[in-house]
Structures are given as structure tokens and as C-alpha cells.
Amino acid sequence: MDLVSNSPRRAGVALAALTAVLLTGCTGEPDRPRPAPSASPAAADPTPSGAPTATADPAARAAALVGTLADEDLVGQVLMPYAYGDNATKVSTGSAAGNRALAGVDTPAEMVAKYRLGGLILVGFSADDPTSGNQETTNVDNPQQVRELTTGLRDAAGKLPAGAAPLLIGTDQEYGVVTRITDGVTLLPSPLAAGAAGDPALTEAAWRAAGQELAAMGINLDFAPVADVLVTRSTVIGSRSFGADPKRASAQVAGAVRGLQGAGVAASVKHFPGHGLSAADSHEELPVVGQSRKVLDSTAFPPFSAGIDAGALAVMSAHLDVTAVDPGTPATFSHKLLTGVLRGQLGFKGVVITDGMNMAPAKRWSPGEAAVRALKAGNDLILMPPNVTQAYDGLLAALRDGSLPRARLVEAVTRVLTMKFTLAGTPAPAMSTLNDPEHRRAAEALAAGAVTVLRGSCTKGVAAPVTVTSSGGREKTRDLLTQALTAAGVKVVPSGGTRVHLVGYGDGSGDLAADAAVTVAMDTPYVLAKAKSPTLLATYSSSAASMTALANVLAGRARPTGRSPVPVSGLPATTCGN
């Protein structure tokens, strides 16, 4: 089926309606800070042929452009699928087959062109990844490859009728267990580590550095930070959260948003209305959030409000059954939650993005019906539909038969274009900014602030020589700590020394070592409640920066100042009195 009409029907929306959209749905409230200009690749000339002359105001530019778009363009602008392949125009036989099954094309660039896409998400895997269930492929290998891929995607999008607005290219660069691009970039410690450090200024500086590196690679949307308050011992959220205290988490979320957007990368605060209130995994089932509305207002919502007040351009909705607001309906499809609470109560004016539509709760409907339902609920971008063709055709058919109100679609597209134009205009930083010494220092400062003593001395180093052990499969992390200890002047021996034992994501009491002098938690610290070591430490992260910070504490060269951002049974937040 040819998805491009030979005689496009123009979006017949009155100027008054567009003005209303701009005033109510596309700009922040006057007293909210405006995001900084982007460092993403420069957009094409903002005035398409035959379109009104654009102004510098993103909302006005969006309104001018949306009025020129055909139905096919409007539908494409609200879709943000994934694709197979690490290059825009040249892919392997296997990747071509994956793209044909997903969208009836061979390459990512062809997908952008055929469906007039608003954006594309880059996906991939990391070692301990609770989101691996819906990561069907990977697009990332190294920074230069990512830059070439994003350049090719933007070249394809620039030829579209909506090409004046730069293509959204997003990824889940949360740092910690969910980090799509890991090689050749500055790796921040996990959000939970930032929560332990408790200094929003450090968080902002580190996330600004991270945003600059994302922008250098051509990425202008980060599906981060996670604003979920870690009320439950959730393995799907865990160290992706800034912690269990809403007030402290709120300050961290705001810092991360300011950092990212100060570098020209849109932040997407997630997972609204709060995935940390359930331990279930929404990749596999529909979690039930059974807390009262009072708990939601006091615990779950504050970090989202903080992100919104910091100027977040996007919020991601979650596949959660929030019984106190709209029982039985996943939040992604809940008008009460997205339009009533998020936009009404919390005052969010930007782009609402669905969580992956290839996750189990969203697949109860066909891709087309699910996309229509999500838009009608209040989402503006449909992320990762399991079949692009069906999602596109379903939206187009619903628009033309009236079951998807044209005004709702135009409102969504106007918001998306407004965000795009907000991000446009400034050339990307040079690739040399990646892993810049200043960026590494920002990550190291955040990691150093996170190291926490939950049992033992705050001033004494470990007796040398040291033997580093770990639960299975953590050879790289042991090597990082060994190198850092050696650099800090501590002799490391293969066996027989003071044993420092590392545990991380997914580990339980069976992964502890009874004879370890020091046990270190590199993810959520709950497992330390079962540890018998006389000294218990937490870094909440296994990054190189975190291992360097740990080594300095073990060597007695640094005093640990972190506080556990989640309660650990039988242990204090810190023994260091800060």
C-alpha cells in the first residue's frame, strides 16, 4: 500500500484553534524557566516552500508549519519507532529483514521517509538491564557510528514536508543499569548514587556534561531522568531512581533536567505517574499501583512537578494501573491521568510520550487501536509501536473517519514541532567533547559524593594488601577497582589479602561472602542487611568513576559523605554522621 497520498489533504485548522493550542498546550507557564537552546545538529531552513515566514518563536514556527501539513505528515509526526541497523542507509541482511517485518522497508532512512516520522529511538543492551525485554535489536556500537547514523537519519527527515523541524532522535541514556551508549563516553554513576550524594548542583553539572556528549552524537532527546520514587524494592526501577524520599528525589530530578536541557537535549521525565510504587515489571505485565490518592499526591507526583518546574520538555507515561484515579486502565491510555492530572493538576504543557508500545500492557490492542487510544488519552508521541505500518494506517484511518479528532492530532503535532524547534538552531558540539577531562571530573565528583558507609569506620582505610572478589560475571568491575586501588597506593593481590567483595544488580544473600572484611553494594543496597562483614559500603553504581571513588575511600584518602537514599533494614543511612 502506498502511504503517501498524491493529493494530500491539508490540515484544515482555523488560526484561532492553532492559537488556542499554542496558548494552552505548547508553551510553559510564564513563570517557568524556558529550556536553553539546543546543541543538536542545525536544522534546515525553517521555512518550507509555500509556508508562511517563520519567526524565532518555537511555538509560532510550529503553528506555521503544522498548517501546511497533509494528513499523512500529521500522523507520521506522532510516531517514534525503533529500527534495525547501525547505519541509516546500509544495513545487514538480518536488519533489513527486521525492518521489513516491522515497517515494510529495508533501512531506517526508508522508514523515516515512508512514514514521515517525527522521530526514531536508538535502542541497545547493557549488562544488567531491566528493560531488555522490549529491546528487540541494537543501534549503538560506538560514538562515531552513532553520529553517522543520526546524520543519515536527519538527512532523510530533512527532505520531508515537516523537515524544517529537526528529527527527534532519542535514547534511554539513564546511566547505571540502563545505558544505551557505553563505550567512548563519560559514564555517570547511577541516579541512586546521585541521590546518595544529595547535591543537586553536582547532579546538574554531571548531566550537563552527559547532555553535551549526547548532542555531539546527534541525539536530542534523552528518555531520562527517572522521577519514580522508590517506595518498593523494585528490580525494574531500583537504582534507576534517585531514592525513596520525594523531596530529595525532586531536587535531583530538577538538577538532571536543567543539566540535560542546558546542553540542548530534551529531558523526558519518567515514568508518570510513578513506577516506583509497584515492584511489578510493566514490560511483562500491568503493575497495579494501589496507593491512595493522598499518597500519590505526596509521594509519587512531587518529582514530576519538580521536573516540570525545571522546564522539562517531555514526560513519559507509564503502563500502570493506578486504582485511585482510573482503575483498570493503564496510565498510558488514561485521559483522567494524562489530561486530568498531568496537564490539569500538575500543569504540564509539553510533549507527553508513551512508554514502549511493544510492552505487554500496550499489546492488549492492535498497534493501530493502541496508538489511537494513546493519543486520545493525551499522549503526543507514540514510542516503539510493535508494527509501524499498522500504527500508521490505524491513526490515518481513525483521523479520516473521525474517531480520532483532528483537533487532538493537530494539538499533538503542534507540541511535537514546538519541542523540535526549541531544540533547533545550534550546531552540535565537536565529537572531541566525548569523555572530555572536565566531563570525567563532573562524573567523578558525583560518584565521590555517593560513597556511603553503612557499617564500620568513616576514617580508616582498609589494611593492605587487598584481594578483590565479586559475585559472578563482574570481572570488568573487579579490574576497574583493582586499577583504581593500585593508583591510590593500595597493593592488590590475587588471594590472601583483606577481602573486598562486590555485589551488584540482581544479587541476593547467596552472592555475599561470609569472610569478606568489606562488602560493597554497587546497585540498590538492600542486600547489605544480610551481610556479615564488619565494614559495609555502597557506591550504588559500578562505573569507573564509582570504582575510583571507592578506591579512594578504601585507601583512606577520602572521607565518605554519602547517605543511603533508600532504607536498609537494620542499618543506618550512614555511620558518618552527615
Side-chain angles (χ1 to χ4, degrees):
M1 175 181 177
D2 186 355
L3 297 176
V4 180
S5 170
N6 291 322
S7 55
R9 179 182 176 189
R10 299 295 176 185
V13 182
L15 179 60
L18 281 174
T19 302
V21 167
L22 295 175
L23 291 176
T24 62
C26 296
T27 59
E29 294 178 358
D31 60 346
R32 286 193 173 142
R34 294 178 65 83
S38 174
S40 59
D45 187 306
T47 308
S49 177
T53 301
T55 70
D57 179 67
R61 294 174 74 184
L65 179 56
V66 78
T68 72
L69 297 179
D71 290 355
E72 293 87 351
D73 301 301
L74 295 175
V75 167
Q77 285 300 299
V78 300
L79 290 175
M80 193 169 190
Y82 64 94
Y84 292 82
D86 59 6
N87 185 279
T89 58
K90 299 176 182 178
V91 300
S92 68
T93 301
S95 290
N99 286 324
R100 284 193 295 272
L102 179 65
V105 296
D106 285 345
T107 70
E110 290 171 346
M111 192 183 301
V112 170
K114 182 175 183 179
Y115 297 98
R116 311 187 188 193
L117 295 178
L120 202 79
I121 180 174
L122 306 187
V123 295
F125 308 97
S126 52
D128 297 319
D129 192 343
T131 71
S132 60
N134 73 326
Q135 305 301 301
E136 310 273 348
T137 182
T138 182
N139 303 121
V140 298
D141 181 26
N142 60 73
Q144 186 59 47
Q145 169 267 318
V146 172
R147 177 65 188 182
E148 291 172 2
L149 170 60
T150 59
T151 298
L153 293 172
R154 282 206 170 84
D155 287 345
K159 300 171 185 176
L160 299 173
L167 184 73
L168 293 174
I169 301 178
T171 197
D172 294 288
Q173 194 80 346
E174 298 175 12
Y175 302 96
V177 294
V178 178
T179 307
R180 302 295 180 227
I181 306 167
T182 58
D183 294 335
V185 300
T186 302
L187 292 177
L188 308 188
S190 70
L192 199 63
D199 186 340
L202 291 178
T203 300
E204 181 173 347
W207 281 78
R208 187 181 300 269
Q212 290 170 354
E213 298 193 9
L214 288 170
M217 291 181 284
I219 293 167
N220 59 3
L221 171 60
D222 192 3
F223 296 109
V226 171
D228 304 321
V229 178
L230 198 59
V231 172
T232 62
R233 295 190 181 186
S234 166
T235 56
V236 69
I237 300 301
S239 60
R240 301 166 68 191
S241 166
F242 288 104
D245 182 278
K247 184 176 180 180
R248 292 171 67 89
S250 294
Q252 293 295 320
V253 168
V257 168
R258 287 192 298 267
L260 274 175
Q261 295 194 171
V265 174
S268 180
V269 181
K270 65 185 187 185
H271 309 78
F272 183 81
H275 209 311
L277 273 65
S278 172
D281 185 351
S282 60
H283 295 85
E284 307 295 336
E285 58 183 304
L286 178 62
V288 174
V289 173
Q291 288 86 346
S292 69
R293 182 58 190 268
K294 182 178 179 180
V295 170
L296 295 175
D297 287 337
S298 63
T299 302
F301 296 163
F304 291 96
S305 290
I308 292 167
D309 288 340
L313 290 172
V315 170
M316 178 181 283
S317 60
H319 306 314
L320 302 170
D321 178 2
V322 184
T323 59
V325 179
D326 197 358
T329 302
T332 314
F333 304 97
S334 171
H335 189 272
K336 291 180 180 178
L337 278 161
L338 300 187
T339 303
V341 176
L342 179 57
R343 295 208 184 278
Q345 178 183 336
L346 303 188
F348 182 58
K349 308 296 183 184
V351 174
V352 180
I353 306 174
T354 72
D355 205 344
M357 298 290 275
N358 62 347
M359 294 163 63
K363 292 172 74 173
R364 62 171 64 178
W365 300 286
S366 68
E369 184 178 355
V372 172
R373 284 176 176 266
L375 270 178
K376 291 172 74 172
N379 294 281
D380 304 302
L381 264 178
I382 309 300
L383 188 66
M384 301 176 75
N387 186 287
V388 182
T389 306
Q390 292 175 28
Y392 184 98
D393 288 349
L395 287 168
L396 191 59
L399 175 66
R400 290 179 169 168
D401 70 17
S403 56
L404 173 61
R406 180 172 295 274
R408 171 76 274 269
L409 179 61
V410 168
E411 179 184 54
V413 175
T414 306
R415 288 193 182 116
V416 170
L417 293 176
T418 298
M419 181 165 76
K420 289 184 173 190
F421 282 127
T422 300
L423 297 170
T426 304
M431 289 291 284
S432 59
T433 193
L434 271 65
N435 216 11
D436 179 86
E438 183 178 348
H439 293 178
R440 293 199 300 272
R441 285 192 290 271
E444 288 164 358
L446 187 58
V451 181
T452 306
V453 181
L454 291 90
R455 180 189 296 158
S457 171
C458 297
T459 57
K460 294 180 180 179
V462 67
V466 168
T467 298
V468 179
T469 62
S470 71
S471 56
R474 304 194 186 279
E475 292 83 1
K476 181 178 179 181
T477 308
R478 290 202 306 273
D479 289 344
L480 286 173
L481 180 56
T482 297
Q483 293 168 22
L485 283 167
T486 302
V490 177
K491 184 178 181 180
V492 181
V493 294
S495 61
T498 301
R499 186 173 182 183
V500 176
H501 187 69
L502 307 175
V503 290
Y505 176 80
D507 287 345
S509 57
D511 297 292
L512 297 169
D515 62 342
V518 181
T519 298
V520 183
M522 304 185 299
D523 195 69
T524 53
Y526 305 123
V527 68
L528 295 181
K530 303 290 187 181
K532 304 301 182 185
S533 301
T535 298
L536 302 178
L537 297 174
T539 62
Y540 316 94
S541 173
S542 59
S543 70
S546 296
M547 293 303 97
T548 297
L550 173 62
N552 287 332
V553 169
L554 292 172
R557 297 173 59 176
R559 187 176 187 275
T561 59
R563 295 179 59 86
S564 177
V566 295
V568 181
S569 179
L571 295 172
T574 176
T575 61
C576 298
N578 55 303

